[in-house]
Amino acid sequence: MEALAQRLSQLDPHSEGAIRVVAFYDTLMRRRVDLPALARASAGLGECVAGIRLHGTGRSIRVAPDGRETTAPPAAASATAPITLDEEEIGTVWLERPGPSGPFDDVLLDRLALAAAAVVERYGPARTTMADPALVELAVSADCDEAARARALRLLGFAADLPVRVLAVRSRLPLDRVGALVCPAHPVKAALVAGVGVILAAAVAPEALPAGVRAGVAAAGPPDRSWREARTALRFTTARRPVVHHDDLGALALLADVPAEALRANPDVTAVARLARTPEEFETLEAYCATGSLRRAADALHLHHSTVARRLDHLGTSLGIPLGDPAGRTRARLALSAWHLLGEGRHPADSPDPG
């Protein structure tokens, strides 16, 4: 390395300094330093505040040139670089230089980003979110033997003695962003399998899902069973109920096992399909079935309860279902659920039917 630096410096005075920066970080990586040590070394080398942030954990490290983590309000970054691992951006490194950029800032940040990625990978599991779809499919496949499944989960970064939660997702947002939101502080992996988003996580916070994302959530258990349950729950999601937990479905989950031809042939489902051509009436029926109350449905629709009452009278006649009694409401709810299971109400951006 020193011989190469000497030869290059004879050609370009800038090259010797750049090669010294490269050699500096090569030495740090051989010593297997951690992220705080990387930040301290970078701040000392750059003679300004250096920072490292990992997207998956939200962790940030800012170190001053004296080697101490700084609590001063962050200044605008004078230069930044992404930390990339397995072709995914997992974080950012930056310098907070008060004056003009230094002559080697670009080289410093480039090597710092490479070193940070190596540290994350070494002391993993790596906090990357996107994963090899083949490994994810193996982990959730019903046809996989347990030894192969355990190996796939280990390669994905999940400990053998910890439960893995499974989500089935339809989303316009990239799956890595969705995964990072529902599991910001624990291992999480995402991939697209057979047109459906799969998120494997050590823990999940479904309430953190952003608007526009639909998700079926399974309880902790064997990944193959959880994946089956998550896909079933996903089929019951609607615009009003974008997140469904399989445990909350109860006996309603049995509808998912009914052949599609039988669902389509049912008169109540046929009547709901006709009603769906009139969005205003269909929205009224959905609100009424979801809330179980005329007044709560009126609140949800921002209408006067007398208006909703008139609509429901008309709907009952159109459907041939007595919506005013409990048995009629149950029939309507089942017909709506069956209609959604058939995928008739899916948003154009949604994935293909996972069932």
Side-chain angles (χ1 to χ4, degrees), residues 166-170 196-199 214-218 227 230-232 234:
V166 182
L167 277 71
V169 175
R170 295 193 190 110
V196 183
V198 188
I199 293 177
R214 294 191 186 186
V217 185
W227 174 229
R231 293 172 73 204
T232 296
L234 178 63

Side-chain angles (χ1 to χ4, degrees), residues 11-350:
L11 301 174
D12 182 356
H14 180 80
S15 298
E16 182 177 3
I19 292 296
R20 288 183 183 276
V21 172
V22 172
F24 176 82
Y25 281 98
D26 284 348
T27 300
L28 290 176
M29 293 170 71
R30 284 197 299 271
R31 291 176 179 173
R32 296 178 174 268
V33 299
D34 57 12
L35 291 178
L38 265 181
R40 284 195 299 273
S42 301
L45 181 64
E47 299 182 334
C48 65
V49 172
I52 302 174
R53 179 183 298 110
L54 298 181
H55 299 329
T57 63
R59 181 187 182 191
S60 289
I61 305 169
R62 292 174 62 241
V63 179
D66 62 4
R68 299 177 183 178
E69 289 204 32
T70 178
T71 57
S78 56
T80 65
I83 304 172
T84 304
L85 184 59
D86 296 333
E87 299 183 357
E88 179 189 354
E89 183 178 326
I90 63 168
T92 307
V93 295
W94 70 93
L95 297 177
E96 299 175 21
R97 190 178 296 285
S101 295
F104 305 113
D105 283 1
D106 288 345
V107 179
L108 188 157
L109 284 175
D110 178 68
R111 302 308 295 182
L112 173 56
L114 287 173
V119 170
V120 171
E121 187 173 34
R122 181 182 303 128
Y123 297 111
R127 298 301 187 191
T128 55
T129 302
M130 294 306 292
D132 181 352
L135 275 180
V136 173
E137 187 169 11
L138 194 61
V140 300
S141 173
D143 300 324
C144 177
D145 64 75
E146 292 309 308
R149 190 189 320 282
R151 180 176 182 277
L153 288 171
R154 186 171 64 253
L155 290 173
L156 288 168
F158 294 99
D161 57 342
L162 293 178
V164 177
R165 301 293 300 275
V166 182
L167 277 71
V169 175
R170 295 193 190 110
S171 171
R172 289 190 182 93
L173 295 175
L175 282 176
D176 57 335
R177 287 183 56 191
V178 178
L181 287 171
V182 297
C183 186
H186 300 280
V188 56
K189 298 292 178 180
L192 196 65
V193 174
V196 183
V198 188
I199 293 177
L200 302 175
V204 296
E207 66 278 3
L209 286 164
V213 174
R214 294 191 186 186
V217 185
D224 55 331
R225 186 186 72 196
S226 294
W227 174 229
R228 184 172 63 252
E229 293 178 353
R231 293 172 73 204
T232 296
L234 178 63
R235 296 178 66 195
F236 284 90
T237 60
T238 68
R240 287 185 174 276
R241 193 185 181 193
V243 179
V244 173
H245 293 253
H246 187 270
D247 285 352
D248 294 339
L249 291 173
L252 198 61
L254 296 174
L255 268 183
D257 296 327
V258 178
E261 295 77 11
L263 293 178
R264 289 192 180 93
N266 182 271
D268 286 354
V269 179
T270 302
V272 166
R274 287 197 304 268
L275 184 68
R277 300 168 191 164
T278 310
E280 182 180 88
E281 293 185 342
F282 187 81
E283 186 180 21
T284 301
L285 179 65
E286 279 209 305
Y288 180 58
C289 289
T291 62
S293 159
L294 188 153
R295 289 188 178 274
R296 286 198 292 271
D299 290 340
L301 294 167
H302 306 291
L303 295 172
H304 194 274
H305 63 86
S306 61
T307 302
V308 175
R310 286 194 299 271
R311 286 188 184 180
L312 290 174
D313 286 341
H314 175 68
L315 287 173
T317 302
S318 299
L319 295 169
I321 299 175
L323 296 176
D325 63 66
R329 285 198 298 273
T330 299
R331 281 179 59 186
R333 284 192 64 199
L334 286 172
L336 274 171
S337 295
W339 184 82
H340 282 294
L341 278 172
L342 291 170
E344 303 297 339
R346 186 165 300 131
H347 192 283
D350 289 339

